[in-house]
PDB file of all heavy atoms in Angstrom:
ATOM      1  N   PRO A 714     -12.381  -2.629 -23.433  1.00  0.00           N
ATOM      2  CA  PRO A 714     -12.287  -3.909 -24.141  1.00  0.00           C
ATOM      3  C   PRO A 714     -11.038  -3.966 -25.018  1.00  0.00           C
ATOM      4  O   PRO A 714     -10.677  -2.985 -25.662  1.00  0.00           O
ATOM      5  CB  PRO A 714     -13.561  -3.930 -24.997  1.00  0.00           C
ATOM      6  CG  PRO A 714     -14.500  -2.990 -24.310  1.00  0.00           C
ATOM      7  CD  PRO A 714     -13.656  -1.934 -23.706  1.00  0.00           C
ATOM      8  N   THR A 715     -10.370  -5.111 -25.014  1.00  0.00           N
ATOM      9  CA  THR A 715      -9.157  -5.290 -25.805  1.00  0.00           C
ATOM     10  C   THR A 715      -9.401  -6.298 -26.918  1.00  0.00           C
ATOM     11  O   THR A 715     -10.440  -6.964 -26.957  1.00  0.00           O
ATOM     12  CB  THR A 715      -8.000  -5.778 -24.920  1.00  0.00           C
ATOM     13  OG1 THR A 715      -8.366  -7.039 -24.317  1.00  0.00           O
ATOM     14  CG2 THR A 715      -7.690  -4.767 -23.828  1.00  0.00           C
ATOM     15  N   THR A 716      -8.453  -6.405 -27.814  1.00  0.00           N
ATOM     16  CA  THR A 716      -8.485  -7.389 -28.890  1.00  0.00           C
ATOM     17  C   THR A 716      -7.159  -8.134 -28.902  1.00  0.00           C
ATOM     18  O   THR A 716      -6.173  -7.659 -28.318  1.00  0.00           O
ATOM     19  CB  THR A 716      -8.695  -6.717 -30.268  1.00  0.00           C
ATOM     20  OG1 THR A 716      -7.499  -6.012 -30.629  1.00  0.00           O
ATOM     21  CG2 THR A 716      -9.873  -5.751 -30.233  1.00  0.00           C
ATOM     22  N   PRO A 717      -7.105  -9.283 -29.567  1.00  0.00           N
ATOM     23  CA  PRO A 717      -5.837 -10.021 -29.628  1.00  0.00           C
ATOM     24  C   PRO A 717      -4.811  -9.390 -30.558  1.00  0.00           C
ATOM     25  O   PRO A 717      -3.679  -9.864 -30.632  1.00  0.00           O
ATOM     26  CB  PRO A 717      -6.263 -11.399 -30.173  1.00  0.00           C
ATOM     27  CG  PRO A 717      -7.748 -11.434 -30.136  1.00  0.00           C
ATOM     28  CD  PRO A 717      -8.202 -10.024 -30.197  1.00  0.00           C
ATOM     29  N   PHE A 718      -5.176  -8.332 -31.266  1.00  0.00           N
ATOM     30  CA  PHE A 718      -4.346  -7.841 -32.361  1.00  0.00           C
ATOM     31  C   PHE A 718      -3.468  -6.656 -31.995  1.00  0.00           C
ATOM     32  O   PHE A 718      -2.504  -6.348 -32.695  1.00  0.00           O
ATOM     33  CB  PHE A 718      -5.236  -7.468 -33.552  1.00  0.00           C
ATOM     34  CG  PHE A 718      -6.211  -8.548 -33.922  1.00  0.00           C
ATOM     35  CD1 PHE A 718      -7.554  -8.412 -33.625  1.00  0.00           C
ATOM     36  CD2 PHE A 718      -5.768  -9.711 -34.516  1.00  0.00           C
ATOM     37  CE1 PHE A 718      -8.450  -9.420 -33.944  1.00  0.00           C
ATOM     38  CE2 PHE A 718      -6.652 -10.727 -34.846  1.00  0.00           C
ATOM     39  CZ  PHE A 718      -8.004 -10.586 -34.558  1.00  0.00           C
ATOM     40  N   VAL A 719      -3.793  -5.952 -30.911  1.00  0.00           N
ATOM     41  CA  VAL A 719      -3.040  -4.756 -30.534  1.00  0.00           C
ATOM     42  C   VAL A 719      -2.700  -4.829 -29.058  1.00  0.00           C
ATOM     43  O   VAL A 719      -3.571  -5.084 -28.214  1.00  0.00           O
ATOM     44  CB  VAL A 719      -3.842  -3.470 -30.826  1.00  0.00           C
ATOM     45  CG1 VAL A 719      -3.071  -2.239 -30.357  1.00  0.00           C
ATOM     46  CG2 VAL A 719      -4.170  -3.357 -32.309  1.00  0.00           C
ATOM     47  N   SER A 720      -1.429  -4.611 -28.751  1.00  0.00           N
ATOM     48  CA  SER A 720      -0.973  -4.594 -27.365  1.00  0.00           C
ATOM     49  C   SER A 720      -0.854  -3.151 -26.884  1.00  0.00           C
ATOM     50  O   SER A 720      -0.332  -2.293 -27.606  1.00  0.00           O
ATOM     51  CB  SER A 720       0.388  -5.291 -27.250  1.00  0.00           C
ATOM     52  OG  SER A 720       0.889  -5.192 -25.942  1.00  0.00           O
ATOM     53  N   ALA A 721      -1.371  -2.879 -25.689  1.00  0.00           N
ATOM     54  CA  ALA A 721      -1.311  -1.509 -25.155  1.00  0.00           C
ATOM     55  C   ALA A 721      -1.250  -1.548 -23.640  1.00  0.00           C
ATOM     56  O   ALA A 721      -1.746  -2.480 -23.002  1.00  0.00           O
ATOM     57  CB  ALA A 721      -2.526  -0.698 -25.618  1.00  0.00           C
ATOM     58  N   ARG A 722      -0.621  -0.531 -23.071  1.00  0.00           N
ATOM     59  CA  ARG A 722      -0.589  -0.376 -21.614  1.00  0.00           C
ATOM     60  C   ARG A 722      -1.960   0.079 -21.132  1.00  0.00           C
ATOM     61  O   ARG A 722      -2.693   0.763 -21.820  1.00  0.00           O
ATOM     62  CB  ARG A 722       0.449   0.687 -21.240  1.00  0.00           C
ATOM     63  CG  ARG A 722       1.851   0.399 -21.726  1.00  0.00           C
ATOM     64  CD  ARG A 722       2.517  -0.661 -20.879  1.00  0.00           C
ATOM     65  NE  ARG A 722       2.605  -0.250 -19.490  1.00  0.00           N
ATOM     66  CZ  ARG A 722       3.524   0.608 -19.024  1.00  0.00           C
ATOM     67  NH1 ARG A 722       4.420   1.142 -19.841  1.00  0.00           N
ATOM     68  NH2 ARG A 722       3.561   0.923 -17.750  1.00  0.00           N
ATOM     69  N   ARG A 723      -2.281  -0.259 -19.869  1.00  0.00           N
ATOM     70  CA  ARG A 723      -3.520   0.216 -19.269  1.00  0.00           C
ATOM     71  C   ARG A 723      -3.294   1.608 -18.673  1.00  0.00           C
ATOM     72  O   ARG A 723      -2.188   1.984 -18.298  1.00  0.00           O
ATOM     73  CB  ARG A 723      -3.997  -0.757 -18.198  1.00  0.00           C
ATOM     74  CG  ARG A 723      -4.545  -2.054 -18.773  1.00  0.00           C
ATOM     75  CD  ARG A 723      -5.029  -2.985 -17.672  1.00  0.00           C
ATOM     76  NE  ARG A 723      -6.054  -2.374 -16.830  1.00  0.00           N
ATOM     77  CZ  ARG A 723      -7.345  -2.305 -17.161  1.00  0.00           C
ATOM     78  NH1 ARG A 723      -7.756  -2.786 -18.311  1.00  0.00           N
ATOM     79  NH2 ARG A 723      -8.210  -1.742 -16.339  1.00  0.00           N
ATOM     80  N   THR A 724      -4.401   2.363 -18.575  1.00  0.00           N
ATOM     81  CA  THR A 724      -4.332   3.752 -18.127  1.00  0.00           C
ATOM     82  C   THR A 724      -3.690   3.876 -16.744  1.00  0.00           C
ATOM     83  O   THR A 724      -2.785   4.691 -16.530  1.00  0.00           O
ATOM     84  CB  THR A 724      -5.741   4.367 -18.119  1.00  0.00           C
ATOM     85  OG1 THR A 724      -6.249   4.385 -19.453  1.00  0.00           O
ATOM     86  CG2 THR A 724      -5.720   5.780 -17.563  1.00  0.00           C
ATOM     87  N   GLU A 725      -4.159   3.084 -15.782  1.00  0.00           N
ATOM     88  CA  GLU A 725      -3.616   3.198 -14.436  1.00  0.00           C
ATOM     89  C   GLU A 725      -2.134   2.839 -14.407  1.00  0.00           C
ATOM     90  O   GLU A 725      -1.347   3.477 -13.696  1.00  0.00           O
ATOM     91  CB  GLU A 725      -4.394   2.307 -13.467  1.00  0.00           C
ATOM     92  CG  GLU A 725      -3.975   2.530 -12.019  1.00  0.00           C
ATOM     93  CD  GLU A 725      -4.868   1.808 -11.034  1.00  0.00           C
ATOM     94  OE1 GLU A 725      -5.459   0.767 -11.414  1.00  0.00           O
ATOM     95  OE2 GLU A 725      -4.981   2.269  -9.885  1.00  0.00           O
ATOM     96  N   GLN A 726      -1.733   1.823 -15.174  1.00  0.00           N
ATOM     97  CA  GLN A 726      -0.316   1.445 -15.235  1.00  0.00           C
ATOM     98  C   GLN A 726       0.534   2.611 -15.727  1.00  0.00           C
ATOM     99  O   GLN A 726       1.607   2.898 -15.186  1.00  0.00           O
ATOM    100  CB  GLN A 726      -0.134   0.255 -16.166  1.00  0.00           C
ATOM    101  CG  GLN A 726      -0.708  -1.054 -15.657  1.00  0.00           C
ATOM    102  CD  GLN A 726      -0.597  -2.164 -16.685  1.00  0.00           C
ATOM    103  OE1 GLN A 726      -0.556  -1.905 -17.885  1.00  0.00           O
ATOM    104  NE2 GLN A 726      -0.544  -3.394 -16.223  1.00  0.00           N
ATOM    105  N   ALA A 727       0.062   3.273 -16.798  1.00  0.00           N
ATOM    106  CA  ALA A 727       0.826   4.376 -17.378  1.00  0.00           C
ATOM    107  C   ALA A 727       0.925   5.543 -16.403  1.00  0.00           C
ATOM    108  O   ALA A 727       1.997   6.142 -16.232  1.00  0.00           O
ATOM    109  CB  ALA A 727       0.189   4.825 -18.685  1.00  0.00           C
ATOM    110  N   LEU A 728      -0.179   5.882 -15.751  1.00  0.00           N
ATOM    111  CA  LEU A 728      -0.168   6.998 -14.808  1.00  0.00           C
ATOM    112  C   LEU A 728       0.734   6.693 -13.620  1.00  0.00           C
ATOM    113  O   LEU A 728       1.506   7.549 -13.170  1.00  0.00           O
ATOM    114  CB  LEU A 728      -1.585   7.301 -14.352  1.00  0.00           C
ATOM    115  CG  LEU A 728      -1.752   8.501 -13.419  1.00  0.00           C
ATOM    116  CD1 LEU A 728      -1.138   9.764 -14.012  1.00  0.00           C
ATOM    117  CD2 LEU A 728      -3.230   8.711 -13.095  1.00  0.00           C
ATOM    118  N   LEU A 729       0.675   5.471 -13.118  1.00  0.00           N
ATOM    119  CA  LEU A 729       1.544   5.094 -12.010  1.00  0.00           C
ATOM    120  C   LEU A 729       3.013   5.132 -12.428  1.00  0.00           C
ATOM    121  O   LEU A 729       3.880   5.510 -11.626  1.00  0.00           O
ATOM    122  CB  LEU A 729       1.178   3.699 -11.498  1.00  0.00           C
ATOM    123  CG  LEU A 729      -0.115   3.608 -10.690  1.00  0.00           C
ATOM    124  CD1 LEU A 729      -0.458   2.156 -10.410  1.00  0.00           C
ATOM    125  CD2 LEU A 729      -0.001   4.394  -9.392  1.00  0.00           C
ATOM    126  N   GLN A 730       3.303   4.780 -13.679  1.00  0.00           N
ATOM    127  CA  GLN A 730       4.685   4.844 -14.141  1.00  0.00           C
ATOM    128  C   GLN A 730       5.202   6.279 -14.107  1.00  0.00           C
ATOM    129  O   GLN A 730       6.342   6.525 -13.689  1.00  0.00           O
ATOM    130  CB  GLN A 730       4.801   4.288 -15.564  1.00  0.00           C
ATOM    131  CG  GLN A 730       6.232   4.361 -16.117  1.00  0.00           C
ATOM    132  CD  GLN A 730       6.378   3.689 -17.457  1.00  0.00           C
ATOM    133  OE1 GLN A 730       5.740   2.683 -17.744  1.00  0.00           O
ATOM    134  NE2 GLN A 730       7.242   4.242 -18.311  1.00  0.00           N
ATOM    135  N   VAL A 731       4.374   7.219 -14.537  1.00  0.00           N
ATOM    136  CA  VAL A 731       4.790   8.626 -14.512  1.00  0.00           C
ATOM    137  C   VAL A 731       5.002   9.082 -13.071  1.00  0.00           C
ATOM    138  O   VAL A 731       6.013   9.722 -12.751  1.00  0.00           O
ATOM    139  CB  VAL A 731       3.744   9.511 -15.215  1.00  0.00           C
ATOM    140  CG1 VAL A 731       4.102  10.992 -15.074  1.00  0.00           C
ATOM    141  CG2 VAL A 731       3.628   9.149 -16.687  1.00  0.00           C
ATOM    142  N   ILE A 732       4.060   8.770 -12.203  1.00  0.00           N
ATOM    143  CA  ILE A 732       4.173   9.185 -10.799  1.00  0.00           C
ATOM    144  C   ILE A 732       5.415   8.579 -10.149  1.00  0.00           C
ATOM    145  O   ILE A 732       6.192   9.268  -9.472  1.00  0.00           O
ATOM    146  CB  ILE A 732       2.910   8.795 -10.014  1.00  0.00           C
ATOM    147  CG1 ILE A 732       1.696   9.561 -10.561  1.00  0.00           C
ATOM    148  CG2 ILE A 732       3.087   9.062  -8.516  1.00  0.00           C
ATOM    149  CD1 ILE A 732       0.366   9.069 -10.013  1.00  0.00           C
ATOM    150  N   ASN A 733       5.623   7.286 -10.373  1.00  0.00           N
ATOM    151  CA  ASN A 733       6.753   6.603  -9.746  1.00  0.00           C
ATOM    152  C   ASN A 733       8.092   7.025 -10.343  1.00  0.00           C
ATOM    153  O   ASN A 733       9.137   6.875  -9.695  1.00  0.00           O
ATOM    154  CB  ASN A 733       6.578   5.091  -9.866  1.00  0.00           C
ATOM    155  CG  ASN A 733       5.403   4.572  -9.067  1.00  0.00           C
ATOM    156  OD1 ASN A 733       5.000   5.179  -8.075  1.00  0.00           O
ATOM    157  ND2 ASN A 733       4.821   3.463  -9.496  1.00  0.00           N
ATOM    158  N   ALA A 734       8.068   7.564 -11.572  1.00  0.00           N
ATOM    159  CA  ALA A 734       9.309   8.012 -12.201  1.00  0.00           C
ATOM    160  C   ALA A 734       9.769   9.369 -11.673  1.00  0.00           C
ATOM    161  O   ALA A 734      10.934   9.732 -11.808  1.00  0.00           O
ATOM    162  CB  ALA A 734       9.131   8.091 -13.716  1.00  0.00           C
ATOM    163  N   ALA A 735       8.859  10.125 -11.069  1.00  0.00           N
ATOM    164  CA  ALA A 735       9.188  11.480 -10.630  1.00  0.00           C
ATOM    165  C   ALA A 735      10.203  11.457  -9.492  1.00  0.00           C
ATOM    166  O   ALA A 735      10.050  10.714  -8.521  1.00  0.00           O
ATOM    167  CB  ALA A 735       7.922  12.206 -10.194  1.00  0.00           C
ATOM    168  N   THR A 736      11.214  12.285  -9.629  1.00  0.00           N
ATOM    169  CA  THR A 736      12.212  12.428  -8.563  1.00  0.00           C
ATOM    170  C   THR A 736      12.235  13.839  -7.978  1.00  0.00           C
ATOM    171  O   THR A 736      12.712  14.030  -6.858  1.00  0.00           O
ATOM    172  CB  THR A 736      13.621  12.100  -9.085  1.00  0.00           C
ATOM    173  OG1 THR A 736      13.947  12.992 -10.172  1.00  0.00           O
ATOM    174  CG2 THR A 736      13.689  10.664  -9.576  1.00  0.00           C
ATOM    175  N   SER A 737      11.726  14.828  -8.720  1.00  0.00           N
ATOM    176  CA  SER A 737      11.743  16.197  -8.194  1.00  0.00           C
ATOM    177  C   SER A 737      10.409  16.911  -8.390  1.00  0.00           C
ATOM    178  O   SER A 737       9.919  17.560  -7.454  1.00  0.00           O
ATOM    179  CB  SER A 737      12.868  17.006  -8.847  1.00  0.00           C
ATOM    180  OG  SER A 737      12.710  17.048 -10.249  1.00  0.00           O
ATOM    181  N   THR A 738       9.794  16.818  -9.576  1.00  0.00           N
ATOM    182  CA  THR A 738       8.540  17.527  -9.814  1.00  0.00           C
ATOM    183  C   THR A 738       7.542  16.629 -10.532  1.00  0.00           C
ATOM    184  O   THR A 738       7.907  15.753 -11.311  1.00  0.00           O
ATOM    185  CB  THR A 738       8.758  18.792 -10.663  1.00  0.00           C
ATOM    186  OG1 THR A 738       9.268  18.426 -11.951  1.00  0.00           O
ATOM    187  CG2 THR A 738       9.698  19.760  -9.983  1.00  0.00           C
ATOM    188  N   LEU A 739       6.263  16.912 -10.261  1.00  0.00           N
ATOM    189  CA  LEU A 739       5.177  16.183 -10.905  1.00  0.00           C
ATOM    190  C   LEU A 739       4.008  17.137 -11.057  1.00  0.00           C
ATOM    191  O   LEU A 739       3.598  17.776 -10.087  1.00  0.00           O
ATOM    192  CB  LEU A 739       4.776  14.974 -10.060  1.00  0.00           C
ATOM    193  CG  LEU A 739       3.622  14.113 -10.560  1.00  0.00           C
ATOM    194  CD1 LEU A 739       4.017  13.359 -11.824  1.00  0.00           C
ATOM    195  CD2 LEU A 739       3.175  13.121  -9.481  1.00  0.00           C
ATOM    196  N   PHE A 740       3.476  17.249 -12.272  1.00  0.00           N
ATOM    197  CA  PHE A 740       2.325  18.127 -12.519  1.00  0.00           C
ATOM    198  C   PHE A 740       1.233  17.281 -13.156  1.00  0.00           C
ATOM    199  O   PHE A 740       1.442  16.644 -14.187  1.00  0.00           O
ATOM    200  CB  PHE A 740       2.713  19.280 -13.446  1.00  0.00           C
ATOM    201  CG  PHE A 740       1.848  20.507 -13.281  1.00  0.00           C
ATOM    202  CD1 PHE A 740       2.417  21.735 -12.999  1.00  0.00           C
ATOM    203  CD2 PHE A 740       0.465  20.433 -13.401  1.00  0.00           C
ATOM    204  CE1 PHE A 740       1.628  22.875 -12.828  1.00  0.00           C
ATOM    205  CE2 PHE A 740      -0.333  21.558 -13.225  1.00  0.00           C
ATOM    206  CZ  PHE A 740       0.251  22.787 -12.950  1.00  0.00           C
ATOM    207  N   ILE A 741       0.061  17.265 -12.508  1.00  0.00           N
ATOM    208  CA  ILE A 741      -1.078  16.493 -12.996  1.00  0.00           C
ATOM    209  C   ILE A 741      -2.255  17.428 -13.232  1.00  0.00           C
ATOM    210  O   ILE A 741      -2.531  18.318 -12.425  1.00  0.00           O
ATOM    211  CB  ILE A 741      -1.470  15.391 -11.993  1.00  0.00           C
ATOM    212  CG1 ILE A 741      -0.353  14.348 -11.890  1.00  0.00           C
ATOM    213  CG2 ILE A 741      -2.784  14.720 -12.392  1.00  0.00           C
ATOM    214  CD1 ILE A 741      -0.633  13.236 -10.912  1.00  0.00           C
ATOM    215  N   MET A 742      -2.949  17.200 -14.337  1.00  0.00           N
ATOM    216  CA  MET A 742      -4.097  18.022 -14.698  1.00  0.00           C
ATOM    217  C   MET A 742      -5.251  17.110 -15.067  1.00  0.00           C
ATOM    218  O   MET A 742      -5.085  16.138 -15.802  1.00  0.00           O
ATOM    219  CB  MET A 742      -3.722  18.925 -15.890  1.00  0.00           C
ATOM    220  CG  MET A 742      -4.797  19.865 -16.362  1.00  0.00           C
ATOM    221  SD  MET A 742      -4.122  20.903 -17.694  1.00  0.00           S
ATOM    222  CE  MET A 742      -5.577  21.873 -18.107  1.00  0.00           C
ATOM    223  N   SER A 743      -6.447  17.388 -14.517  1.00  0.00           N
ATOM    224  CA  SER A 743      -7.605  16.554 -14.797  1.00  0.00           C
ATOM    225  C   SER A 743      -8.872  17.382 -14.608  1.00  0.00           C
ATOM    226  O   SER A 743      -8.872  18.395 -13.907  1.00  0.00           O
ATOM    227  CB  SER A 743      -7.626  15.331 -13.879  1.00  0.00           C
ATOM    228  OG  SER A 743      -8.702  14.475 -14.180  1.00  0.00           O
ATOM    229  N   PHE A 744      -9.967  16.928 -15.221  1.00  0.00           N
ATOM    230  CA  PHE A 744     -11.257  17.599 -15.073  1.00  0.00           C
ATOM    231  C   PHE A 744     -11.831  17.295 -13.695  1.00  0.00           C
ATOM    232  O   PHE A 744     -12.215  18.191 -12.950  1.00  0.00           O
ATOM    233  CB  PHE A 744     -12.195  17.128 -16.185  1.00  0.00           C
ATOM    234  CG  PHE A 744     -13.543  17.794 -16.186  1.00  0.00           C
ATOM    235  CD1 PHE A 744     -13.659  19.164 -16.347  1.00  0.00           C
ATOM    236  CD2 PHE A 744     -14.698  17.047 -16.041  1.00  0.00           C
ATOM    237  CE1 PHE A 744     -14.898  19.787 -16.359  1.00  0.00           C
ATOM    238  CE2 PHE A 744     -15.941  17.639 -16.058  1.00  0.00           C
ATOM    239  CZ  PHE A 744     -16.055  19.014 -16.212  1.00  0.00           C
ATOM    240  N   VAL A 745     -11.907  16.010 -13.362  1.00  0.00           N
ATOM    241  CA  VAL A 745     -12.384  15.609 -12.043  1.00  0.00           C
ATOM    242  C   VAL A 745     -11.393  14.620 -11.436  1.00  0.00           C
ATOM    243  O   VAL A 745     -10.536  14.072 -12.134  1.00  0.00           O
ATOM    244  CB  VAL A 745     -13.789  14.969 -12.106  1.00  0.00           C
ATOM    245  CG1 VAL A 745     -14.816  15.987 -12.530  1.00  0.00           C
ATOM    246  CG2 VAL A 745     -13.795  13.757 -13.029  1.00  0.00           C
ATOM    247  N   ALA A 746     -11.526  14.364 -10.148  1.00  0.00           N
ATOM    248  CA  ALA A 746     -10.648  13.418  -9.460  1.00  0.00           C
ATOM    249  C   ALA A 746     -11.380  12.851  -8.257  1.00  0.00           C
ATOM    250  O   ALA A 746     -11.730  13.592  -7.342  1.00  0.00           O
ATOM    251  CB  ALA A 746      -9.353  14.102  -9.038  1.00  0.00           C
ATOM    252  N   TYR A 747     -11.611  11.546  -8.271  1.00  0.00           N
ATOM    253  CA  TYR A 747     -12.196  10.862  -7.124  1.00  0.00           C
ATOM    254  C   TYR A 747     -12.107   9.352  -7.329  1.00  0.00           C
ATOM    255  O   TYR A 747     -11.949   8.868  -8.447  1.00  0.00           O
ATOM    256  CB  TYR A 747     -13.657  11.271  -6.893  1.00  0.00           C
ATOM    257  CG  TYR A 747     -14.591  11.005  -8.052  1.00  0.00           C
ATOM    258  CD1 TYR A 747     -15.213   9.769  -8.216  1.00  0.00           C
ATOM    259  CD2 TYR A 747     -14.855  12.005  -8.982  1.00  0.00           C
ATOM    260  CE1 TYR A 747     -16.068   9.527  -9.280  1.00  0.00           C
ATOM    261  CE2 TYR A 747     -15.708  11.769 -10.043  1.00  0.00           C
ATOM    262  CZ  TYR A 747     -16.320  10.527 -10.184  1.00  0.00           C
ATOM    263  OH  TYR A 747     -17.153  10.293 -11.239  1.00  0.00           O
ATOM    264  N   ASP A 748     -12.185   8.615  -6.226  1.00  0.00           N
ATOM    265  CA  ASP A 748     -12.212   7.146  -6.250  1.00  0.00           C
ATOM    266  C   ASP A 748     -10.984   6.570  -6.947  1.00  0.00           C
ATOM    267  O   ASP A 748     -11.085   5.700  -7.809  1.00  0.00           O
ATOM    268  CB  ASP A 748     -13.505   6.665  -6.934  1.00  0.00           C
ATOM    269  CG  ASP A 748     -13.724   5.164  -6.734  1.00  0.00           C
ATOM    270  OD1 ASP A 748     -13.197   4.628  -5.733  1.00  0.00           O
ATOM    271  OD2 ASP A 748     -14.396   4.539  -7.574  1.00  0.00           O
ATOM    272  N   VAL A 749      -9.799   7.072  -6.580  1.00  0.00           N
ATOM    273  CA  VAL A 749      -8.544   6.559  -7.161  1.00  0.00           C
ATOM    274  C   VAL A 749      -7.538   6.327  -6.036  1.00  0.00           C
ATOM    275  O   VAL A 749      -6.497   6.976  -5.965  1.00  0.00           O
ATOM    276  CB  VAL A 749      -7.970   7.518  -8.234  1.00  0.00           C
ATOM    277  CG1 VAL A 749      -8.715   7.387  -9.540  1.00  0.00           C
ATOM    278  CG2 VAL A 749      -7.998   8.978  -7.729  1.00  0.00           C
ATOM    279  N   SER A 750      -7.846   5.388  -5.177  1.00  0.00           N
ATOM    280  CA  SER A 750      -7.021   5.178  -3.978  1.00  0.00           C
ATOM    281  C   SER A 750      -5.589   4.781  -4.325  1.00  0.00           C
ATOM    282  O   SER A 750      -4.637   5.210  -3.657  1.00  0.00           O
ATOM    283  CB  SER A 750      -7.659   4.106  -3.084  1.00  0.00           C
ATOM    284  OG  SER A 750      -7.835   2.892  -3.797  1.00  0.00           O
ATOM    285  N   GLY A 751      -5.418   3.961  -5.388  1.00  0.00           N
ATOM    286  CA  GLY A 751      -4.066   3.556  -5.769  1.00  0.00           C
ATOM    287  C   GLY A 751      -3.236   4.735  -6.249  1.00  0.00           C
ATOM    288  O   GLY A 751      -2.037   4.835  -5.949  1.00  0.00           O
ATOM    289  N   ILE A 752      -3.862   5.642  -6.980  1.00  0.00           N
ATOM    290  CA  ILE A 752      -3.162   6.836  -7.464  1.00  0.00           C
ATOM    291  C   ILE A 752      -2.832   7.764  -6.294  1.00  0.00           C
ATOM    292  O   ILE A 752      -1.731   8.325  -6.211  1.00  0.00           O
ATOM    293  CB  ILE A 752      -4.017   7.574  -8.515  1.00  0.00           C
ATOM    294  CG1 ILE A 752      -4.342   6.653  -9.697  1.00  0.00           C
ATOM    295  CG2 ILE A 752      -3.315   8.844  -8.974  1.00  0.00           C
ATOM    296  CD1 ILE A 752      -3.141   6.129 -10.423  1.00  0.00           C
ATOM    297  N   VAL A 753      -3.783   7.924  -5.374  1.00  0.00           N
ATOM    298  CA  VAL A 753      -3.557   8.779  -4.201  1.00  0.00           C
ATOM    299  C   VAL A 753      -2.375   8.263  -3.389  1.00  0.00           C
ATOM    300  O   VAL A 753      -1.509   9.035  -2.958  1.00  0.00           O
ATOM    301  CB  VAL A 753      -4.830   8.850  -3.337  1.00  0.00           C
ATOM    302  CG1 VAL A 753      -4.525   9.479  -1.968  1.00  0.00           C
ATOM    303  CG2 VAL A 753      -5.904   9.655  -4.053  1.00  0.00           C
TER     304      VAL A 753
END
């Protein structure tokens, strides 16, 4: 949930920005991973 008072990036947008910015190496760490077709 958001409010009109604070602007913030969404989680998927931020993660995709990191992935798309990579030109040579990318390291991702997570507890679990599933149901993320756009990230895959």
Side-chain angles (χ1 to χ4, degrees):
T715 60
T716 71
F718 310 106
V719 177
S720 175
R722 302 284 300 282
R723 288 181 58 81
T724 297
E725 187 172 27
Q726 291 175 334
L728 183 54
L729 286 172
Q730 179 174 325
V731 174
I732 296 170
N733 293 334
T736 59
S737 59
T738 62
L739 178 69
F740 205 124
I741 294 179
M742 182 176 178
S743 183
F744 183 61
V745 294
Y747 59 86
D748 192 25
V749 282
S750 57
I752 302 300
V753 168

